[in-house]
Amino acid sequence: QLSGVIRANSLTYENQTYGTRLSDMTLAARFNGERLEIERLRATAGDGTVSAQGFVSLAEASGYPMDVRVTMDDARLARSEAIDATATGELRLTKAANQTALLAGDIRLPETRYEIIRQGAAEVPELTGVFDLLRLDIDLTAPERLYVSGMGLESEWDADLNIAGTSAAPRISGDVELIRGTLGFAGRSFELQEGRVAFTGGTAIDPVITLVASEDIEDVTVRVNVSGRAYDPQIAFSSTPG
């Protein structure tokens, strides 16, 4: 049983890995018995803002219930060499007795830049010490200005995805569609004619890729076709005339 208040001003949070920086953070919260009530939390994120309110219970007998809402308004969540992203929308973290915590919401990405970097092995950070597991139900949309570059690719896409499953085994479903772009290959720049990345919602995040690029070389139209799964893409060539 706790009582008292928490007040803070001009706090700063930084994540060096992703370039996340929340500044001018203000916090107003109150302990009421076993419950921490977040009356107001607000921070500046780039040219946008992040705010939150809700409660977190410390009562083990009740199963640590909570209900916290996070609202983002053009908030810059990442700014690093690999990714630059802003987000608008709402996330809600809830937990009831004898249930796994649920993170749900709708997020729109007004502008995102991602650079493909070839690595020997991917490192996936784990959230430890807070939750062993989170259920997920997040709708993620990027109506345009989703820029992807690297490994010869310079392109713009739109995306409409749903992230479900759990934090230990996320399931992604939906499509990422090409708007425009070019593919550098064999010293030439090929115009992207078709592009689609389809996430099928399986336990393995291994989407189906369809990518078609073409270039006129003298009197021959050369096409590069990339298809199959992301982890095992198949590359084929064709031309007119053959």
Side-chain angles (χ1 to χ4, degrees), residues 8-31:
N9 293 290
S10 301
L11 299 179
T12 300
Y13 166 81
E14 288 186 288
N15 184 302
Q16 299 295 335
T17 301
Y18 298 106
T20 306
R21 189 175 193 273
L22 305 180
S23 60
D24 297 327
M25 186 185 304
T26 60
L27 172 65
R30 181 182 303 275
F31 281 105

Side-chain angles (χ1 to χ4, degrees), residues 134-171:
L134 281 174
R135 290 181 294 135
L136 303 173
D137 185 11
I138 301 172
D139 291 321
L140 183 65
T141 58
E144 57 184 6
R145 295 194 295 174
L146 173 56
Y147 301 105
V148 180
S149 62
M151 295 176 64
L153 187 66
E154 294 290 341
S155 57
E156 180 184 1
W157 305 70
D158 64 51
D160 188 357
L161 304 171
N162 176 263
I163 305 174
T166 67
S167 54
R171 296 173 179 266

Side-chain angles (χ1 to χ4, degrees), residues 45-96:
D47 294 330
T49 59
V50 176
S51 59
Q53 63 182 106
F55 74 87
V56 177
S57 173
L58 307 178
E60 180 182 10
S62 302
Y64 303 109
M66 66 182 64
D67 188 347
V68 178
R69 293 177 181 267
V70 178
T71 302
M72 295 168 285
D73 184 5
D74 200 26
R76 184 176 297 281
L77 300 183
R79 190 169 192 173
S80 65
E81 293 183 0
I83 186 169
D84 188 335
T86 58
T88 295
E90 183 177 274
L91 288 174
R92 185 179 182 187
L93 179 61
T94 57
K95 187 178 187 304

Side-chain angles (χ1 to χ4, degrees), residues 6 22 27-28 76 94 145 154 192 197 205 215 217 221:
I6 298 175
L22 305 180
L27 172 65
R76 184 176 297 281
T94 57
R145 295 194 295 174
E154 294 290 341
L192 291 173
V197 181
I205 302 177
E215 171 69 355
I217 303 175
T221 299

